[in-house]
Amino acid sequence: MDPLLKIATFNSIPNQEYALYGSVLESQVDTLLHRLKGLCGTLPGNGDPFEDHYISYSFKHVSPPIVVRTARSLIQNVVPWKFQYYGTEQSDSNRSVTQRQIIDACCSVKIPTFLQEGLGFHAMKWETKTG
C-alpha cells in the first residue's frame, strides 16, 4: 500500500520520535548519520526532497499555556495537514531522559480556522518552513 494512502486511511501517523540535544564533532557527523539510518531503517521515500510549513498556536487561558502546531507539505498538495500536540516534559529520577506526550494526527485544511475561531487558539508571531 502506498505510504501516503496508508496515512490518509488510518488518519494517524505512526511515529516514535527522539530528540537529541548536544553537539557532534564535525569528524563524527558521518558516523552519527550512519547509526541513525541503522536505527530508523529504510523508510519509503527516505531521502526525498521536502518543504513543510509549520504554524504554532497557543491557548493562554490555562497554566501552563497549551501549544499546538500544524504542518503541511508545500510540495505534495495531496498529503493531509498534520496536527501536533507536545505535552509538558516529565522527568523521573529513575530515568536518564525526560519524556513528553506527543499526539500527531492527520486533519483537513480547515484546521487553522478551527483552532482559531472554534477553540480560541492564537497563532504565534512566527511560522517556519523546513526543507
Side-chain angles (χ1 to χ4, degrees):
M1 179 184 265
D2 180 43
L4 297 177
L5 182 60
K6 191 174 184 180
I7 289 170
T9 303
F10 295 110
N11 196 30
S12 68
I13 299 172
N15 92 31
Q16 191 169 11
E17 185 174 309
Y18 296 93
L20 301 174
Y21 295 98
S23 56
V24 177
L25 293 173
E26 191 170 338
S27 62
Q28 298 298 315
V29 170
D30 290 335
T31 303
L32 174 64
L33 291 176
H34 178 72
R35 289 183 180 180
L36 288 174
K37 286 179 184 177
L39 287 171
C40 298
T42 305
L43 301 174
N46 195 12
D48 288 346
F50 68 93
E51 188 174 356
D52 293 341
H53 177 216
Y54 292 91
I55 306 171
S56 295
Y57 299 89
S58 67
F59 187 76
K60 297 181 179 179
H61 301 290
V62 294
S63 182
I66 299 171
V67 177
V68 298
R69 186 168 71 172
T70 59
R72 68 184 175 106
S73 173
L74 296 174
I75 295 175
Q76 299 179 4
N77 292 333
V78 297
V79 177
W81 280 62
K82 280 193 338 184
F83 170 83
Q84 300 170 323
Y85 164 77
Y86 290 83
T88 57
E89 290 185 356
Q90 300 171 349
S91 59
D92 185 351
S93 61
N94 297 329
R95 296 187 180 165
S96 59
V97 297
T98 59
Q99 293 179 300
R100 96 172 33 197
Q101 179 185 19
I102 298 174
I103 298 173
D104 212 15
C106 294
C107 54
S108 75
V109 298
K110 298 179 182 181
I111 189 67
T113 304
F114 176 71
L115 287 172
Q116 291 179 344
E117 296 176 10
L119 298 178
F121 279 81
H122 297 283
M124 297 175 113
K125 296 185 187 270
W126 68 87
E127 298 179 19
T128 57
K129 292 183 182 178
T130 61

